[in-house]
Amino acid sequence: MNSSTATAQDAPPAPYGSPRTRSPWWGVASLSVVLFAIVTSEFLPASLLSRMSSDLGISEGLAGQAVTATAVAAAVTGPAIALVLPRLDRRIALIGLVVLAAVSNLLVALAPSFAVLLTARLLLGVSVGGFWALAIAVVAALVSRERIGRGMMVVNVGVSLATILAVPLGLVLGELWGWRVLFLLAAAASVVGLVLASAWLPPVAPEPSPGRAFLATLRSPLVIVGMVGMFLIAGGHFAGFTYIRLAGDLVAGLNAEGLALALAAFGIASFVGNLASGPAADGALHRSVVVMGAAVGIATILWATLGGSLPVAVAAIVLWGLGFGAIPTLIQSWMARAHPESLESVSGVTVAAFQLAIGLGAAVGGVLVNSFDVRAALIAGGAAAFLGGVLLGVVRTRRLGA
């Protein structure tokens, strides 16, 4: 076979940033499908805890640890995956992680005990953390580093759809079919992602010297600033959003059905924000992160101070969704620019820090709710998100590919 007819599948793994000749955007799309399946699996227990706990004979609080276990495993796996698999073709690594997600969901669906279920959810956490840690670097290899924002926007479409659909589908279909059937469907969705990734992803070489790259990443002042900004934005968001049910009680005339509609509006706005984030990240990253961080901050503070008015509350939650929907792509792009020599290490650190920000944000919000009320959590979270956006907007990163 001569070089003009060789395909990407026939070629050896190519270095990051190399041009691709075989439908690179189809490969990016396959990552989006996989992440839809994985993130849906991650969020499903939120709407199924009562049924899971009743079936397994445990408390809802204990069943909730299935979510915690996944987050902890993801936080540990994110920075570790490149170190554990330093030489493995990243296509093979990603396919293996999808297989792990499918196995996890199958084990959950068949779990005879909470111990088996918890073990399966730990496996899912490994899949979540590992996949996210490698995704940015693989996207950069497929579509070039200069277009990484658009690439991550496509990947995050799957995440946005999972965020919108997982909980409501769990609520509705869990009543009709039972929680075990839903995890079987999640396993099937993982298999679909596996087939697409196997067909569409070309070989991708790992970054050299992952141990040295990881240490350099941790010492990078820009990466440290990025982690602080991410902590402020993500932690601020979850400080308020974790207690959105309590926040709904501040709004006159907003019953449970109205809050469900408001959350649907949040999800749709979040999807729109993600679609806007790709071109924004590639063309005006620093301005965009300020604007979207400010949107999250202003929205939560508006809800806390003027949210007694239903129209203001609706406007606030739409603005909130638009802002936070763009944040994942913007932060991933910012962190990639902060240390472009080591995208796998940067991605791993970002995964771990984001998971930690979720936990800390919810914990700080809980302290404020218990000590004062939900308004305090909303105002503090909004102020943190606003400051985080300003910080990431003021501190300049390097252009990818420069």
Side-chain angles (χ1 to χ4, degrees):
M1 181 180 295
N2 62 46
S3 59
S4 63
T5 59
T7 66
Q9 294 289 351
D10 300 318
Y16 287 114
S18 296
R20 293 290 174 185
T21 59
R22 185 180 180 180
S23 304
W25 287 100
W26 286 110
V28 176
S30 73
L31 299 181
S32 183
V33 174
V34 169
L35 280 169
F36 170 78
I38 291 177
V39 175
T40 297
S41 305
E42 186 178 11
F43 289 164
L44 269 180
S47 57
L48 300 171
L49 284 182
S50 296
R51 289 183 167 272
M52 293 169 66
S53 62
S54 176
D55 191 14
L56 295 171
I58 58 176
S59 68
E60 290 188 15
L62 185 57
Q65 300 313 302
V67 178
T68 304
T70 302
V72 170
V76 173
T77 304
I81 189 74
L83 302 175
V84 174
L85 304 173
R87 296 183 180 86
L88 186 64
D89 178 355
R90 288 335 189 197
R91 174 181 181 272
I92 296 175
L94 291 177
I95 288 172
L97 290 167
V98 185
V99 171
L100 201 62
V103 170
S104 166
N105 286 317
L106 183 61
L107 286 175
V108 170
L110 302 176
S113 66
F114 179 67
V116 173
L117 185 144
L118 194 65
T119 301
R121 295 293 294 182
L122 286 169
L123 294 179
L124 180 66
V126 172
S127 178
V128 170
F131 207 94
W132 271 122
L134 299 178
I136 296 177
V138 171
V139 168
L142 293 175
V143 302
S144 84
R145 299 187 181 211
E146 294 81 1
R147 305 192 74 185
I148 195 171
R150 287 174 173 83
M152 290 311 299
M153 177 269 292
V154 172
V155 170
N156 283 323
V157 165
V159 179
S160 295
L161 289 175
T163 304
I164 295 170
L165 296 175
V167 173
L169 282 178
L171 287 170
V172 175
L173 298 182
E175 292 293 323
L176 294 175
W177 300 338
W179 66 274
R180 294 182 184 273
V181 172
L182 289 188
F183 280 100
L184 285 175
L185 292 176
S190 299
V191 171
V192 171
L194 171 64
V195 171
L196 295 181
S198 299
W200 292 345
L201 278 177
V204 178
E207 290 181 342
S209 305
R212 188 180 303 115
F214 182 69
L215 293 176
T217 299
L218 293 180
R219 290 195 295 263
S220 168
L222 277 177
V223 171
I224 293 171
V225 169
M227 290 175 65
V228 172
M230 178 171 56
F231 264 101
L232 290 170
I233 297 175
H237 165 76
F238 285 101
F241 197 76
T242 303
Y243 307 97
I244 193 66
R245 182 65 187 87
L246 296 177
D249 294 337
L250 300 175
V251 184
L254 188 66
N255 55 20
E257 291 77 12
L259 182 60
L261 290 175
L263 290 174
F266 175 93
I268 294 170
S270 177
F271 184 76
V272 173
N274 176 61
L275 293 181
S277 66
D282 290 335
L285 174 61
H286 296 90
R287 288 196 299 272
S288 299
V289 77
V290 172
V291 169
M292 294 307 185
V296 174
I298 291 170
T300 55
I301 292 171
L302 273 177
W303 190 302
T305 55
L306 302 175
S309 165
L310 184 58
V312 171
V314 171
I317 203 163
V318 168
L319 180 63
W320 194 346
L322 281 170
F324 195 73
I327 288 299
T329 296
L330 294 176
I331 287 181
Q332 288 160 347
S333 299
W334 198 100
M335 293 292 282
R337 288 191 187 184
H339 210 267
E341 303 87 2
S342 307
L343 290 184
E344 289 185 356
S345 296
V346 168
S347 300
V349 168
T350 302
V351 170
F354 200 89
Q355 294 289 337
L356 187 57
I358 293 172
L360 287 179
V364 171
V367 170
L368 291 172
V369 168
N370 291 334
S371 301
F372 303 97
D373 61 14
V374 72
R375 289 184 181 88
L378 290 168
I379 292 172
F386 187 92
L387 290 174
V390 170
L391 175 63
L392 296 184
V394 169
V395 177
R396 296 284 152 169
T397 54
R398 292 165 279 180
R399 291 291 301 182
L400 282 169

